[in-house]
Amino acid sequence: MIGDKKVLFSGMQATGNLTLGNYLGALRNWVTLCDEYECYYSVVDMHSITVRQDPAVLRKNARRLLMLYIAAGIDPDKSILYYQSHVSAHAELAWILNCFTYMGELNRMTQFKDKSAKHADNINAGLFTYPVLMASDILLYQADVVPVGIDQMQHLELTRDVAQRFNAIYGDVFTIPEAYIGKVGAKIMSLQDPSKKMSKSDENPNASIYLLDDADTIRRKFKRAVTDSEGVILYRDEQPGIKNLLDIYCACTGKTPDEAVREFDGCGYGVLKEAVGDAVVNVLVPLQERMKELEKDKAYIDRIIRQNAERASYTAMKTLRKVQKKVGFPERVR
Ligand code: TRP
């Protein structure tokens, strides 16, 4: 707790370009949580180097992601938006927590298994201990709640286990975080294969809408979206392509699937695709305009980056010092 507010922590990787799926499924909801919680939103660049990155690209993407947080509507003077790598306590706590996490636990992580299969030539120790760094992110700020997607639930469970293990030995050091269960974000699927989640790492650019795609590109991608040969617009699992389009439409317009189905009753797929394209353009264009404004104001963004890293460090250091003392590191004498 900070004052009378609970603490919320979440982070996103700065790899690739954020998609409409990331926005409707996560980022947009982050904005609405800022009033109720004391929010920390990190650009987790340290996690990104568990797979090889081009340094210039990583740096550019990290800055862009931080600006997207702001463009999406998070107030950086209220919530804390920062780069993980600017707060050294993350690495320091991760080392300590590595010593409280078992190989067996990390071996069970399905994301590690998936990523090792995908990057067989670079199964590095960082990829293995990735969840420990994530636990450190969360525990440093004594977060009460963590909004995460289903794919990160296992990591959050591990965070809780490690925190409880540490507390059992040393007393009440860490707040045990809970998954944030609230209004769940829309789950947006690939436009080219509606059985797969829309992903920023998809090789096919037509599969995803990127947040910075221009209006023409957005409309074109929806025109090309894979549907089916049923020829009716119904909201059901048998028509995953249409269902996805309806989900996107509803997420952008606030309508319910029932309302949307009624609205498109008797229409062809082309009409639906056009309407979805328009709805998405209406949501993304204002965000892109804010982005353009922010890009012009380098000094403002630099100030946000500096100040928020300081604010984050202040809280993180408090936890880190406590942990260092508990495990027996010598006191600092002045
Ligand atoms: N691992 C998360 C992901 O890839 C990102 C992340 C890093 C995170 N640290 C976090 C999410 C702490 C929530 C809390 O999506």
Side-chain angles (χ1 to χ4, degrees), residues 28 40 60 131 154 178 208 211 222 260 286-288 300-301 303 310 328:
R28 194 173 65 165
Y40 291 83
K60 189 167 138 251
Q154 203 184 20
E178 313 252 349
S208 309
L211 294 191
F222 279 110
L287 183 145
Q288 295 175 355
Y300 168 70
I301 300 295
R303 171 179 73 79
E310 275 167 23

PDB file of all heavy atoms in Angstrom, residues 28 40 60 131 154 178 208 211 222 260 286-288 300-301 303 310 328:
ATOM      1  N   ARG A  28      -4.730  -0.762 -22.912  1.00  0.00           N
ATOM      2  CA  ARG A  28      -5.906   0.076 -22.709  1.00  0.00           C
ATOM      3  C   ARG A  28      -6.476  -0.092 -21.298  1.00  0.00           C
ATOM      4  O   ARG A  28      -6.963   0.861 -20.689  1.00  0.00           O
ATOM      5  CB  ARG A  28      -6.971  -0.255 -23.763  1.00  0.00           C
ATOM      6  CG  ARG A  28      -8.053   0.787 -23.832  1.00  0.00           C
ATOM      7  CD  ARG A  28      -8.981   0.548 -24.970  1.00  0.00           C
ATOM      8  NE  ARG A  28      -9.741  -0.690 -24.807  1.00  0.00           N
ATOM      9  CZ  ARG A  28     -10.818  -0.984 -25.520  1.00  0.00           C
ATOM     10  NH1 ARG A  28     -11.244  -0.148 -26.447  1.00  0.00           N
ATOM     11  NH2 ARG A  28     -11.453  -2.118 -25.336  1.00  0.00           N
ATOM     12  N   TYR A  40       2.918   1.013 -11.317  1.00  0.00           N
ATOM     13  CA  TYR A  40       4.261   0.978 -11.899  1.00  0.00           C
ATOM     14  C   TYR A  40       4.154   0.225 -13.214  1.00  0.00           C
ATOM     15  O   TYR A  40       3.747  -0.944 -13.221  1.00  0.00           O
ATOM     16  CB  TYR A  40       5.234   0.222 -11.002  1.00  0.00           C
ATOM     17  CG  TYR A  40       5.557   0.934  -9.716  1.00  0.00           C
ATOM     18  CD1 TYR A  40       4.715   0.837  -8.612  1.00  0.00           C
ATOM     19  CD2 TYR A  40       6.716   1.694  -9.598  1.00  0.00           C
ATOM     20  CE1 TYR A  40       5.011   1.490  -7.434  1.00  0.00           C
ATOM     21  CE2 TYR A  40       7.023   2.350  -8.410  1.00  0.00           C
ATOM     22  CZ  TYR A  40       6.170   2.241  -7.342  1.00  0.00           C
ATOM     23  OH  TYR A  40       6.471   2.886  -6.174  1.00  0.00           O
ATOM     24  N   LYS A  60      15.558   1.944 -29.628  1.00  0.00           N
ATOM     25  CA  LYS A  60      14.490   2.692 -30.287  1.00  0.00           C
ATOM     26  C   LYS A  60      13.115   2.163 -29.848  1.00  0.00           C
ATOM     27  O   LYS A  60      12.210   2.926 -29.505  1.00  0.00           O
ATOM     28  CB  LYS A  60      14.665   2.553 -31.794  1.00  0.00           C
ATOM     29  CG  LYS A  60      13.778   3.441 -32.607  1.00  0.00           C
ATOM     30  CD  LYS A  60      14.233   3.487 -34.070  1.00  0.00           C
ATOM     31  CE  LYS A  60      13.047   3.430 -34.988  1.00  0.00           C
ATOM     32  NZ  LYS A  60      12.880   2.188 -35.722  1.00  0.00           N
ATOM     33  N   PRO A 131      12.089 -15.848 -15.194  1.00  0.00           N
ATOM     34  CA  PRO A 131      10.995 -15.646 -14.227  1.00  0.00           C
ATOM     35  C   PRO A 131      11.463 -15.069 -12.898  1.00  0.00           C
ATOM     36  O   PRO A 131      10.673 -14.430 -12.192  1.00  0.00           O
ATOM     37  CB  PRO A 131      10.440 -17.064 -14.008  1.00  0.00           C
ATOM     38  CG  PRO A 131      10.947 -17.872 -15.147  1.00  0.00           C
ATOM     39  CD  PRO A 131      12.244 -17.266 -15.570  1.00  0.00           C
ATOM     40  N   GLN A 154       1.946 -18.606 -14.878  1.00  0.00           N
ATOM     41  CA  GLN A 154       2.874 -19.535 -14.249  1.00  0.00           C
ATOM     42  C   GLN A 154       4.035 -18.763 -13.591  1.00  0.00           C
ATOM     43  O   GLN A 154       4.501 -19.130 -12.507  1.00  0.00           O
ATOM     44  CB  GLN A 154       3.400 -20.509 -15.309  1.00  0.00           C
ATOM     45  CG  GLN A 154       3.904 -21.798 -14.714  1.00  0.00           C
ATOM     46  CD  GLN A 154       4.520 -22.717 -15.769  1.00  0.00           C
ATOM     47  OE1 GLN A 154       4.907 -22.279 -16.860  1.00  0.00           O
ATOM     48  NE2 GLN A 154       4.602 -23.999 -15.447  1.00  0.00           N
ATOM     49  N   GLU A 178      -1.083 -10.746  -6.077  1.00  0.00           N
ATOM     50  CA  GLU A 178      -2.173 -11.516  -6.679  1.00  0.00           C
ATOM     51  C   GLU A 178      -2.287 -11.138  -8.154  1.00  0.00           C
ATOM     52  O   GLU A 178      -1.964 -10.018  -8.523  1.00  0.00           O
ATOM     53  CB  GLU A 178      -3.517 -11.116  -6.050  1.00  0.00           C
ATOM     54  CG  GLU A 178      -3.533 -11.042  -4.553  1.00  0.00           C
ATOM     55  CD  GLU A 178      -4.306 -12.196  -3.963  1.00  0.00           C
ATOM     56  OE1 GLU A 178      -4.974 -12.906  -4.738  1.00  0.00           O
ATOM     57  OE2 GLU A 178      -4.238 -12.357  -2.731  1.00  0.00           O
ATOM     58  N   SER A 208      -1.125  -9.091 -38.181  1.00  0.00           N
ATOM     59  CA  SER A 208      -1.272  -8.198 -37.029  1.00  0.00           C
ATOM     60  C   SER A 208      -1.516  -6.764 -37.471  1.00  0.00           C
ATOM     61  O   SER A 208      -0.990  -6.320 -38.483  1.00  0.00           O
ATOM     62  CB  SER A 208       0.012  -8.206 -36.190  1.00  0.00           C
ATOM     63  OG  SER A 208       0.412  -9.516 -35.890  1.00  0.00           O
ATOM     64  N   LEU A 211       0.174  -0.822 -33.786  1.00  0.00           N
ATOM     65  CA  LEU A 211      -0.457   0.405 -33.284  1.00  0.00           C
ATOM     66  C   LEU A 211      -0.119   1.619 -34.136  1.00  0.00           C
ATOM     67  O   LEU A 211      -0.873   2.579 -34.182  1.00  0.00           O
ATOM     68  CB  LEU A 211      -0.057   0.669 -31.828  1.00  0.00           C
ATOM     69  CG  LEU A 211      -0.570  -0.346 -30.815  1.00  0.00           C
ATOM     70  CD1 LEU A 211      -0.355   0.162 -29.410  1.00  0.00           C
ATOM     71  CD2 LEU A 211      -2.043  -0.651 -31.046  1.00  0.00           C
ATOM     72  N   PHE A 222      -7.515  -5.532 -42.829  1.00  0.00           N
ATOM     73  CA  PHE A 222      -8.825  -6.123 -42.517  1.00  0.00           C
ATOM     74  C   PHE A 222      -9.478  -6.688 -43.770  1.00  0.00           C
ATOM     75  O   PHE A 222     -10.127  -7.733 -43.719  1.00  0.00           O
ATOM     76  CB  PHE A 222      -9.737  -5.113 -41.808  1.00  0.00           C
ATOM     77  CG  PHE A 222      -9.427  -5.021 -40.348  1.00  0.00           C
ATOM     78  CD1 PHE A 222      -8.836  -3.896 -39.803  1.00  0.00           C
ATOM     79  CD2 PHE A 222      -9.696  -6.104 -39.505  1.00  0.00           C
ATOM     80  CE1 PHE A 222      -8.513  -3.836 -38.453  1.00  0.00           C
ATOM     81  CE2 PHE A 222      -9.379  -6.057 -38.156  1.00  0.00           C
ATOM     82  CZ  PHE A 222      -8.783  -4.915 -37.635  1.00  0.00           C
ATOM     83  N   ALA A 260     -23.718  -6.312 -32.261  1.00  0.00           N
ATOM     84  CA  ALA A 260     -22.963  -6.291 -33.525  1.00  0.00           C
ATOM     85  C   ALA A 260     -23.577  -7.268 -34.523  1.00  0.00           C
ATOM     86  O   ALA A 260     -23.739  -6.949 -35.708  1.00  0.00           O
ATOM     87  CB  ALA A 260     -21.504  -6.631 -33.252  1.00  0.00           C
ATOM     88  N   PRO A 286      -6.250   8.734 -32.994  1.00  0.00           N
ATOM     89  CA  PRO A 286      -5.964   9.694 -31.917  1.00  0.00           C
ATOM     90  C   PRO A 286      -4.700   9.326 -31.138  1.00  0.00           C
ATOM     91  O   PRO A 286      -3.912  10.205 -30.778  1.00  0.00           O
ATOM     92  CB  PRO A 286      -7.193   9.590 -31.002  1.00  0.00           C
ATOM     93  CG  PRO A 286      -8.262   8.965 -31.824  1.00  0.00           C
ATOM     94  CD  PRO A 286      -7.597   8.144 -32.871  1.00  0.00           C
ATOM     95  N   LEU A 287      -4.514   8.049 -30.916  1.00  0.00           N
ATOM     96  CA  LEU A 287      -3.310   7.601 -30.211  1.00  0.00           C
ATOM     97  C   LEU A 287      -2.053   7.946 -31.029  1.00  0.00           C
ATOM     98  O   LEU A 287      -1.050   8.418 -30.493  1.00  0.00           O
ATOM     99  CB  LEU A 287      -3.425   6.096 -29.979  1.00  0.00           C
ATOM    100  CG  LEU A 287      -2.334   5.368 -29.209  1.00  0.00           C
ATOM    101  CD1 LEU A 287      -2.955   4.258 -28.373  1.00  0.00           C
ATOM    102  CD2 LEU A 287      -1.301   4.752 -30.127  1.00  0.00           C
ATOM    103  N   GLN A 288      -2.154   7.742 -32.332  1.00  0.00           N
ATOM    104  CA  GLN A 288      -1.006   8.047 -33.192  1.00  0.00           C
ATOM    105  C   GLN A 288      -0.721   9.538 -33.221  1.00  0.00           C
ATOM    106  O   GLN A 288       0.431   9.960 -33.299  1.00  0.00           O
ATOM    107  CB  GLN A 288      -1.264   7.528 -34.611  1.00  0.00           C
ATOM    108  CG  GLN A 288      -1.367   6.010 -34.645  1.00  0.00           C
ATOM    109  CD  GLN A 288      -1.749   5.467 -36.015  1.00  0.00           C
ATOM    110  OE1 GLN A 288      -2.033   6.221 -36.940  1.00  0.00           O
ATOM    111  NE2 GLN A 288      -1.761   4.142 -36.129  1.00  0.00           N
ATOM    112  N   TYR A 300      10.701  16.775 -22.859  1.00  0.00           N
ATOM    113  CA  TYR A 300       9.657  16.302 -21.942  1.00  0.00           C
ATOM    114  C   TYR A 300       9.825  14.814 -21.657  1.00  0.00           C
ATOM    115  O   TYR A 300       9.819  14.382 -20.495  1.00  0.00           O
ATOM    116  CB  TYR A 300       8.279  16.588 -22.557  1.00  0.00           C
ATOM    117  CG  TYR A 300       7.131  15.907 -21.859  1.00  0.00           C
ATOM    118  CD1 TYR A 300       6.725  16.306 -20.586  1.00  0.00           C
ATOM    119  CD2 TYR A 300       6.452  14.846 -22.470  1.00  0.00           C
ATOM    120  CE1 TYR A 300       5.676  15.682 -19.942  1.00  0.00           C
ATOM    121  CE2 TYR A 300       5.390  14.215 -21.839  1.00  0.00           C
ATOM    122  CZ  TYR A 300       5.006  14.628 -20.573  1.00  0.00           C
ATOM    123  OH  TYR A 300       3.979  13.992 -19.952  1.00  0.00           O
ATOM    124  N   ILE A 301      10.003  14.033 -22.720  1.00  0.00           N
ATOM    125  CA  ILE A 301      10.168  12.584 -22.531  1.00  0.00           C
ATOM    126  C   ILE A 301      11.421  12.290 -21.704  1.00  0.00           C
ATOM    127  O   ILE A 301      11.395  11.452 -20.801  1.00  0.00           O
ATOM    128  CB  ILE A 301      10.235  11.860 -23.899  1.00  0.00           C
ATOM    129  CG1 ILE A 301       8.954  12.086 -24.701  1.00  0.00           C
ATOM    130  CG2 ILE A 301      10.477  10.364 -23.714  1.00  0.00           C
ATOM    131  CD1 ILE A 301       7.706  11.496 -24.088  1.00  0.00           C
ATOM    132  N   ARG A 303      12.740  14.124 -19.484  1.00  0.00           N
ATOM    133  CA  ARG A 303      12.466  14.454 -18.076  1.00  0.00           C
ATOM    134  C   ARG A 303      11.653  13.339 -17.398  1.00  0.00           C
ATOM    135  O   ARG A 303      11.948  12.923 -16.279  1.00  0.00           O
ATOM    136  CB  ARG A 303      11.700  15.783 -17.968  1.00  0.00           C
ATOM    137  CG  ARG A 303      11.209  16.046 -16.540  1.00  0.00           C
ATOM    138  CD  ARG A 303      10.475  17.353 -16.360  1.00  0.00           C
ATOM    139  NE  ARG A 303       9.129  17.412 -16.927  1.00  0.00           N
ATOM    140  CZ  ARG A 303       8.038  16.882 -16.362  1.00  0.00           C
ATOM    141  NH1 ARG A 303       8.139  16.215 -15.228  1.00  0.00           N
ATOM    142  NH2 ARG A 303       6.858  17.010 -16.932  1.00  0.00           N
ATOM    143  N   GLU A 310      13.985   7.766 -11.018  1.00  0.00           N
ATOM    144  CA  GLU A 310      14.315   8.135  -9.637  1.00  0.00           C
ATOM    145  C   GLU A 310      13.213   7.717  -8.669  1.00  0.00           C
ATOM    146  O   GLU A 310      13.490   7.188  -7.589  1.00  0.00           O
ATOM    147  CB  GLU A 310      14.531   9.651  -9.522  1.00  0.00           C
ATOM    148  CG  GLU A 310      15.942  10.061  -9.880  1.00  0.00           C
ATOM    149  CD  GLU A 310      16.081  11.578 -10.064  1.00  0.00           C
ATOM    150  OE1 GLU A 310      15.255  12.344  -9.518  1.00  0.00           O
ATOM    151  OE2 GLU A 310      17.016  11.977 -10.794  1.00  0.00           O
ATOM    152  N   GLY A 328      21.967 -11.150   5.297  1.00  0.00           N
ATOM    153  CA  GLY A 328      23.242 -11.116   6.004  1.00  0.00           C
ATOM    154  C   GLY A 328      24.363 -10.355   5.336  1.00  0.00           C
ATOM    155  O   GLY A 328      25.530 -10.526   5.685  1.00  0.00           O
TER     156      GLY A 328
END
